[in-house]
Structure formats: structure tokens, C-alpha cells
Amino acid sequence: MSATAIVEVEGHIIDSLILAKILDVIVESGADYRMLDFEVGRSHTDPSKARIELRTQTHEALAQLLLELHPHGAHPLDEPDATMAPAPDDGVLPRGFYATTNLPTSVKINGTYVDVDRDEMDCALVVDGGTVRNTPMSKVRRGEQVVVGLAGVKVQPLEKPREPTPGESFAFMTSEISSEKPKGLLVADVARRIQRIKGEGGRLLLVGGPALIHTGSGPDLARLVREGWVDVLFAGNGFATHDIESALLGTSLGISVKQGMPDEGGHANHLRAINEVRRWGSIAAGVDQGELRSGVMYECVRAGVPFVLAGSLRDDGPLPDVITDVMAAQDAMRANLDGVRVALMLASTLHAIATGNVLAASVETYCVDINQAVVTKLADRGSHQVLGIVTDVGLFVSELTEHLCR
């Protein structure tokens, strides 16, 4: 027995190719469709709207098609209220729970769509009266009402503006990962976007790996912090350790940052740096005591830039500021995302992917690494807003700093 449904999609569905993607999904599923209504926005700010009738051979096929259309923002016209079920225990979700995306989401309650408090992938939706919280599994408590199934859940797919911003040579979310694009042009475009977002009051998140210090980018990063471009830093024990090692001993993992040659006995320098910070009690205490006088971490303390150092299994020490409980580290990261509108992920696989998991899709995200697999992995794990730039991170940071700190 055939099954039918009418779906509706609204927004910049033409310019962002959302409508084309929806039709592709329908055709590939083998379903029939009929365009019932199509309104095109008259100006670049006006949304377009389409209503499409779907017909499949079975109800099961229709349910699968609606599931595939959901991430593209196509929803049944007469969608019912969301279904909820109580969490059976602390940290346990009811079967069939709705797993969130990083897209703007709303939930239909008593006939009205209610916006979810924040956008984050791989969480659950907890309904509390007239509000909806995006909640990690570990934070759900027994008896809380959790949304199950797709019904009554609406997402807004990624969109791009109809017209590019004047003076910019590429539109956000339209560039594929490539190692052959003109890097100078890309860096200049990224710098312009950062300047615009900062000028509008947005915050910049820097996610850094230890290779930044190894490649000699520490002074440039410190300058970016000192001149107010960086608002929050996510990194690990390695990044902070080698930054402090560089400031105290002039080496990074035992290699002289000025001469590029190994120091005698330098293999232990990172341990000596960690030991010093543990003796001080914290990075901030070292700055206050006059022991730490330069580097990225020094500038963060001086400027009041919050940082989250998340630990891993391979850490030495670690530094006393490192959060070794990974769930606590996730919470600390989430707590520092308010107002973040642009993220720079530089030479870090682990922390880039971890950050991507808690970022909303609306955050302009740039992942820079010499290894194309890093930026590919990030996009493959759901951070589709990422622009990947495959290049030497040291050269990228140097050129970006020149653009921003003129």
C-alpha cells in the first residue's frame, strides 16, 4: 500500500542548494514527488518556501525518506507534537531518543515550536515545562522528559547568503578541502572574516596543538593574544608545556626554537618545565610570581583570556591546570563558548575534533593542518561548516598575524 506525506522547507533554499539536495534525496530513494507550492524570496534577505508531496510504495519507505530529509530541513506540513519519554536512570536515555545535530533546532510542544537552548551534536533534548535543553547523555537525570523519535523536531540546515560580502573572494561553506588553493588569498580572506566578526562583537576561539610551538609560531600566537584577537583558548598539556618550556628554556621538546638543533639533555626539558609549574602551583601563579614572563600562556594570563587544557592518556605530569577528567573538560569547553562566532583549529587532531563536537554549525570554523586527513576527519564527524586549509601551520599563523596585527 502506497504512503504519502507533504513536507515543507523554508529559508535560503535556492542559494544554498538545499532544495536541490532535497530533490536528489527524493529521487535517489525511488519515491515520486510533486511540487505543490514554491515561493521565491524577492530580496536577498527574504526566505523562499516550498511544499512537496511525497509518495512511496510503503509506509516504511516513507518513514525512511522522512528520516533522510530531516537534516535538510524538510518536515511534514502537519507535524504532530514531539513525543517524550522519561529517562529510566541517571545518564541513561529512553530507547529511540532523538540524537541532536549541531544545527539550530526547535521542538513542537502544545502546537508551538520552541527553540532549543543551544546547538550541539550527539546530545539529547530534555523538555522542562516550556523550555528545551540540549543535554549530554551523562547529564540526563532519571525521570526527565526526553524527546524520542523525529516527530515534532525541526532543524534549520546550513545556509549561505545570496550575495557574497563585498571584497571577499570566497563564500563561507562553499570551498572544499584542497592543498592547491592560493594560500595567500585564503589567509587574507580568513583575516577579513575575523576582523568583521570581531568588529561585530563576536569572540574568537583558538584551538591549538603542540606543533604550533614546534614550528616557531609561539611568538605570533602570543602577539595575537596580546593584541586582543584571541578570546578563548582550547588546547592540551602538550601545547601549554612546550610553550612554557620555550619561555623558560628556549626549547620545544628539547629542540632549540632559535637554532632548530637539539639541546644536550633537552629530551627532559618538557619535564623540567612541567615540574616548575607544579612547583609554582599553577600557570597563573608563575606569572604572578614573575617566573613566567613570555609565551602564549603568559599572554593569556595577562590578558584574562580563559583557557581550557584538556588531558589525554599520553600526558606527562601533567600541568596542574590540565583537566584530567574528560567529562569535566567537555563541560569547561561548553562553558566558554558563549559569543564564539569564529574558531581557528591549528595543527590539532584530537582537540579539533573534540571542539567540533561541541560547536554549533553557525560558528565559522577554519581547520589548518599540513595533513589533509585532519581536516577531512573533522568534516566527516559532522562539522560540515569547516573550511579546511592544507598548509604549513607556521607559515599560516605568521601571515595571519601580519594581516591582523598591522
Side-chain angles (χ1 to χ4, degrees):
M1 180 180 295
S2 64
T4 62
I6 297 175
V7 296
E8 182 178 67
V9 60
E10 184 175 6
H12 295 292
I13 59 177
I14 301 175
D15 310 79
S16 301
L17 301 179
I18 294 171
L19 182 59
K21 293 174 183 176
I22 288 173
L23 297 180
D24 283 344
V25 170
I26 296 171
V27 171
E28 289 175 4
S29 73
D32 293 326
Y33 75 91
R34 183 164 61 100
M35 191 71 68
L36 299 179
D37 191 18
F38 188 23
E39 299 177 13
V40 180
R42 295 185 178 182
S43 73
H44 71 279
T45 58
D46 292 335
S48 300
K49 180 187 294 186
R51 292 181 179 177
I52 307 169
E53 183 182 62
L54 308 175
R55 183 178 298 275
T56 60
Q57 294 183 352
T58 66
H59 288 282
E60 292 76 13
L62 179 61
Q64 180 61 33
L65 177 56
L66 291 175
L67 178 65
E68 295 174 3
L69 291 175
H70 185 264
H72 301 293
H75 305 276
L77 183 60
D78 297 320
E79 193 166 34
D81 282 353
T83 302
M84 289 163 277
D89 208 342
D90 289 355
V92 180
L93 298 172
R95 289 175 176 170
F97 67 91
Y98 175 80
T100 62
T101 69
N102 58 1
L103 299 169
T105 305
S106 57
V107 177
K108 195 172 186 180
I109 303 173
N110 296 327
T112 302
Y113 281 101
V114 177
D115 290 339
V116 178
D117 63 340
R118 61 187 181 84
D119 308 326
E120 182 181 335
M121 67 176 76
D122 299 335
C123 292
L125 298 176
V126 174
V127 178
D128 184 6
T131 64
V132 186
R133 302 194 314 272
N134 194 328
T135 308
M137 182 184 298
S138 62
K139 301 295 182 183
V140 172
R141 294 293 171 259
R142 181 175 182 173
E144 288 186 323
Q145 294 297 306
V146 178
V147 174
V148 295
L150 289 178
V153 181
K154 181 183 292 187
V155 299
Q156 179 63 47
L158 289 176
E159 296 182 349
K160 68 176 182 179
R162 281 190 173 183
E163 300 175 1
T165 303
E168 294 192 350
S169 59
F170 70 90
F172 188 57
M173 297 185 305
T174 63
S175 294
E176 297 178 354
I177 297 166
S178 174
S179 59
E180 299 179 353
K181 293 180 180 176
K183 298 305 183 298
L185 183 61
L186 284 175
V187 175
D189 282 334
V190 172
R192 277 196 291 270
R193 288 180 174 276
I194 290 173
Q195 289 168 332
R196 174 178 56 80
I197 289 172
K198 291 283 289 182
E200 294 170 351
R203 301 173 73 214
L204 183 147
L205 164 65
L206 173 66
V207 184
L212 285 166
I213 308 302
H214 303 333
T215 58
S217 299
D220 286 326
L221 291 174
R223 185 181 178 189
L224 289 174
V225 175
R226 184 169 58 253
E227 298 197 15
W229 292 102
V230 177
D231 298 289
V232 60
L233 169 68
F234 290 173
N237 187 62
F239 174 90
T241 293
H242 297 305
D243 172 64
I244 295 169
E245 175 194 346
S246 176
L248 297 180
L249 303 170
T251 62
S252 177
L253 204 59
I255 305 298
S256 171
V257 293
K258 292 183 178 180
Q259 299 175 348
M261 299 294 290
D263 268 18
E264 185 175 353
H267 67 281
N269 281 1
H270 71 290
L271 295 174
R272 302 187 194 286
I274 293 172
N275 191 58
E276 283 300 293
V277 180
R278 293 175 73 90
R279 184 173 62 83
W280 303 335
S282 68
I283 296 172
V287 175
D288 292 341
Q289 296 165 20
E291 301 281 358
L292 183 61
R293 301 177 182 179
S294 64
V296 181
M297 303 310 299
Y298 166 83
E299 296 293 352
C300 284
V301 173
R302 285 286 303 275
V305 171
F307 54 85
V308 178
L309 303 179
S312 68
L313 283 172
R314 64 180 182 270
D315 288 345
D316 293 315
L319 294 168
D321 300 85
V322 170
I323 304 173
T324 56
D325 182 329
V326 294
M327 304 309 292
Q330 286 184 9
D331 289 342
M333 292 164 68
R334 293 186 182 102
N336 282 282
L337 291 178
D338 287 348
V340 169
R341 289 182 50 196
V342 59
L344 282 178
M345 300 180 175
L346 307 176
S348 173
T349 305
L350 178 65
H351 290 89
I353 293 174
T355 303
N357 286 347
V358 297
L359 278 185
S362 58
V363 177
E364 292 195 12
T365 307
Y366 303 95
C367 181
V368 184
D369 203 287
I370 196 66
N371 185 355
Q372 182 167 324
V374 174
V375 289
T376 301
K377 284 180 180 180
L378 186 59
D380 286 347
R381 281 163 173 76
S383 299
H384 303 297
Q385 79 273 21
V386 172
L387 173 67
I389 302 175
V390 181
T391 189
D392 178 271
V393 72
L395 298 177
F396 175 89
V397 172
S398 175
E399 192 166 347
L400 180 67
T401 303
E402 287 300 312
H403 280 290
L404 294 177
C405 301
R406 289 174 176 172

Tab-separated table of all heavy atoms in Angstrom, residues 46 79 93 116 137 140 159 186 320 341 366 387 405:
chain	number	residue	atom	x	y	z
A	46	ASP	N	14.971	37.840	1.984
A	46	ASP	CA	13.701	37.120	2.084
A	46	ASP	C	13.915	35.617	1.900
A	46	ASP	O	14.645	35.190	1.001
A	46	ASP	CB	12.716	37.605	1.017
A	46	ASP	CG	12.260	39.029	1.257
A	46	ASP	OD1	12.298	39.459	2.425
A	46	ASP	OD2	11.869	39.689	0.278
A	79	GLU	N	2.922	18.402	11.159
A	79	GLU	CA	3.721	17.601	12.080
A	79	GLU	C	3.098	17.607	13.466
A	79	GLU	O	2.692	18.652	13.978
A	79	GLU	CB	5.143	18.158	12.143
A	79	GLU	CG	6.126	17.240	12.810
A	79	GLU	CD	7.563	17.675	12.552
A	79	GLU	OE1	7.811	18.885	12.458
A	79	GLU	OE2	8.431	16.796	12.446
A	93	LEU	N	19.363	7.191	28.557
A	93	LEU	CA	18.280	7.780	27.768
A	93	LEU	C	17.251	6.715	27.395
A	93	LEU	O	17.591	5.530	27.267
A	93	LEU	CB	18.849	8.401	26.489
A	93	LEU	CG	19.845	9.539	26.698
A	93	LEU	CD1	20.488	9.936	25.372
A	93	LEU	CD2	19.161	10.747	27.326
A	116	VAL	N	15.542	25.231	20.872
A	116	VAL	CA	16.425	24.567	21.826
A	116	VAL	C	17.463	25.579	22.309
A	116	VAL	O	17.891	26.463	21.559
A	116	VAL	CB	17.106	23.352	21.167
A	116	VAL	CG1	18.080	22.672	22.114
A	116	VAL	CG2	16.039	22.359	20.698
A	137	MET	N	24.380	13.036	27.256
A	137	MET	CA	23.837	11.833	27.871
A	137	MET	C	24.192	11.732	29.356
A	137	MET	O	23.341	11.388	30.192
A	137	MET	CB	24.361	10.598	27.121
A	137	MET	CG	23.839	9.275	27.623
A	137	MET	SD	24.578	7.859	26.757
A	137	MET	CE	24.024	8.138	25.074
A	140	VAL	N	21.882	13.720	31.836
A	140	VAL	CA	20.449	13.455	31.959
A	140	VAL	C	20.167	12.758	33.287
A	140	VAL	O	20.915	11.870	33.711
A	140	VAL	CB	19.961	12.583	30.780
A	140	VAL	CG1	18.517	12.135	30.995
A	140	VAL	CG2	20.076	13.361	29.481
A	159	GLU	N	22.998	27.557	5.789
A	159	GLU	CA	22.681	28.411	4.660
A	159	GLU	C	23.848	29.329	4.363
A	159	GLU	O	24.685	29.594	5.226
A	159	GLU	CB	21.438	29.258	4.941
A	159	GLU	CG	20.166	28.453	5.135
A	159	GLU	CD	18.962	29.344	5.370
A	159	GLU	OE1	19.169	30.559	5.588
A	159	GLU	OE2	17.832	28.849	5.337
A	186	LEU	N	43.665	32.804	0.652
A	186	LEU	CA	42.849	32.225	1.705
A	186	LEU	C	43.124	32.886	3.054
A	186	LEU	O	42.201	33.191	3.811
A	186	LEU	CB	43.119	30.720	1.809
A	186	LEU	CG	42.487	29.840	0.732
A	186	LEU	CD1	42.944	28.397	0.898
A	186	LEU	CD2	40.967	29.912	0.779
A	320	PRO	N	49.425	21.416	36.413
A	320	PRO	CA	48.316	21.476	37.376
A	320	PRO	C	47.043	22.079	36.795
A	320	PRO	O	45.954	21.838	37.327
A	320	PRO	CB	48.876	22.335	38.516
A	320	PRO	CG	50.037	23.071	37.937
A	320	PRO	CD	50.599	22.184	36.876
A	341	ARG	N	31.993	33.108	17.655
A	341	ARG	CA	31.439	33.092	16.304
A	341	ARG	C	32.447	32.636	15.254
A	341	ARG	O	32.085	32.426	14.098
A	341	ARG	CB	30.912	34.488	15.942
A	341	ARG	CG	29.635	34.867	16.693
A	341	ARG	CD	29.138	36.230	16.271
A	341	ARG	NE	29.066	36.351	14.829
A	341	ARG	CZ	28.968	37.504	14.173
A	341	ARG	NH1	28.951	38.640	14.860
A	341	ARG	NH2	28.910	37.548	12.855
A	366	TYR	N	37.699	27.251	10.863
A	366	TYR	CA	38.803	27.061	9.932
A	366	TYR	C	39.786	26.068	10.548
A	366	TYR	O	40.290	26.291	11.648
A	366	TYR	CB	39.499	28.396	9.638
A	366	TYR	CG	38.549	29.423	9.092
A	366	TYR	CD1	37.929	30.350	9.939
A	366	TYR	CD2	38.231	29.459	7.741
A	366	TYR	CE1	37.030	31.278	9.443
A	366	TYR	CE2	37.335	30.387	7.248
A	366	TYR	CZ	36.733	31.288	8.096
A	366	TYR	OH	35.838	32.201	7.604
A	387	LEU	N	35.959	24.980	6.988
A	387	LEU	CA	36.770	25.227	5.802
A	387	LEU	C	38.163	24.698	6.102
A	387	LEU	O	38.817	25.159	7.042
A	387	LEU	CB	36.838	26.716	5.475
A	387	LEU	CG	37.820	27.085	4.342
A	387	LEU	CD1	37.324	26.531	3.015
A	387	LEU	CD2	38.015	28.585	4.248
A	405	CYS	N	47.630	42.157	12.770
A	405	CYS	CA	48.364	42.993	13.732
A	405	CYS	C	49.192	44.070	13.047
A	405	CYS	O	50.278	44.428	13.491
A	405	CYS	CB	49.247	42.128	14.603
A	405	CYS	SG	48.371	40.872	15.553
